[in-house]
Amino acid sequence: MSFTSSSVGSGGRTVRRVFEFGRTYVVRPKGKHQATVVWLHGLGDNGSSWSQLLETLPLPNIKWICPTAPTQPIKVFGGFPSTAWFDVGELSEDAPDDIEGLDASAAHVANLLSTEPDDIKLGVGGFSMGAATALYSATCFTLRKYGNGNPYPCNLSAVVGLSGWLPCSKTLSKKLEEVDDAARRAASLPLLLCHGKGDDVVPYKFGEKSSQALSSTGYQNVAFKAYNGLGHYTVPEEMDEVCAWLSSKLGLEGTSS
């Protein structure tokens, strides 16, 4: 499940890309701080809109960090710049992944989590391409390295992907077999994937196949929730599911109304 991407310029030259991330918005916990979750927006959005929604959730023990993706030329927009965690083209299961962009965004997420206290549980979540980046971060944690081979530093306790897909799904099984202890981390990491059956941007089958790809490669703690009639957006029912799931998987002390 991928979008078309490449960083090779005209004449076969590899273009060095610079990723400048935008403003980060933080929602501080209203109660005892027990967990920190980085939440990643979708294509063309920014961290502000999601921070406003997350602030309304009955999860007083979570600190939310909502970064803004770099502005970069996007193939699906004919090269027009947009905020994006990585480059995207036409939706295709056989298209190559933008590993350079995914690595840069996953590293940015890890950097945002790196200063959290040792007793705080860490998570990553997102919507659409933000969900794809969150799921990519999950595989980096499991493999203990990014796609470029650099070590991945964070210990993740929960990953959420709404209306998204799993990048690099076809090579995941082989990579997991090559890394000692990856199977144990895959088996124990809780993941929640949610997808609307009416999604006309990232089709439902991409979410469903991503869930199946994770389960078939040893991720034993995957929950997949389907929503009839839901398009490429979120609804209160879905966010209620996210709240209940995070409270359970992160062992939070309780929710507020």
Side-chain angles (χ1 to χ4, degrees):
M1 276 63 69
S2 318
F3 289 86
T4 306
S5 174
S6 172
S7 60
V8 178
S10 59
R13 291 182 301 107
T14 299
V15 179
R16 180 171 175 79
R17 293 155 65 192
V18 177
F19 302 93
E20 295 188 9
F21 293 86
R23 181 176 172 185
T24 297
Y25 299 81
V26 177
V27 179
R28 306 211 170 271
K30 299 175 179 66
K32 179 184 176 184
H33 183 197
Q34 292 181 283
T36 296
V37 178
V38 173
W39 191 271
L40 305 172
H41 62 75
L43 178 62
D45 202 356
N46 60 62
S48 174
S49 57
W50 274 99
S51 71
Q52 294 172 48
L53 171 61
L54 296 170
E55 191 166 19
T56 68
L57 299 183
L59 293 170
N61 307 115
I62 292 183
K63 171 184 173 182
W64 300 96
I65 302 176
C66 303
T68 299
T71 298
Q72 53 185 309
I74 300 301
K75 286 190 179 70
V76 76
F77 293 155
F80 192 81
S82 179
T83 52
W85 301 109
F86 49 91
D87 194 9
V88 292
E90 292 305 311
L91 200 57
S92 167
E93 292 183 34
D94 298 315
D97 293 281
D98 176 16
I99 302 296
E100 188 180 6
L102 284 161
D103 277 349
S105 291
H108 185 64
V109 170
N111 187 53
L112 291 170
L113 291 171
S114 66
T115 56
E116 294 301 295
D118 291 342
D119 60 337
I120 299 300
K121 293 182 178 179
L122 307 178
V124 185
F127 174 79
S128 192
M129 74 169 347
T133 308
L135 294 175
Y136 182 75
S137 294
T139 62
C140 292
F141 159 69
T142 309
L143 296 168
R144 275 283 176 246
K145 60 184 177 182
Y146 298 100
N148 60 17
N150 291 339
Y152 185 81
C154 292
N155 287 313
L156 300 180
S157 295
V159 177
V160 179
L162 309 182
S163 307
W165 70 96
L166 173 66
C168 309
S169 60
K170 291 190 174 181
T171 58
L172 182 57
S173 179
K174 184 174 184 295
K175 288 180 179 177
L176 288 169
E177 291 172 1
E178 296 171 351
V179 177
D180 290 340
D181 219 25
R184 181 187 60 80
R185 286 189 293 274
S188 61
L189 177 63
L191 298 108
L192 173 64
L193 281 69
C194 302
H195 219 108
K197 290 191 172 182
D199 195 326
D200 58 353
V201 178
V202 180
Y204 172 79
K205 68 174 183 178
F206 279 71
E208 186 177 44
K209 287 186 176 182
S210 295
S211 173
Q212 293 168 353
L214 288 164
S215 297
S216 67
T217 51
Y219 290 84
Q220 298 176 19
N221 200 346
V222 180
F224 181 71
K225 303 293 182 181
Y227 296 87
N228 289 323
L230 179 64
H232 198 64
Y233 49 86
T234 188
V235 288
E237 179 190 357
E238 185 179 43
M239 295 314 295
D240 289 347
E241 187 82 51
V242 171
C243 289
W245 187 87
L246 284 173
S247 295
S248 171
K249 299 302 180 182
L250 294 174
L252 304 182
E253 288 183 355
T255 59
S256 65
S257 57

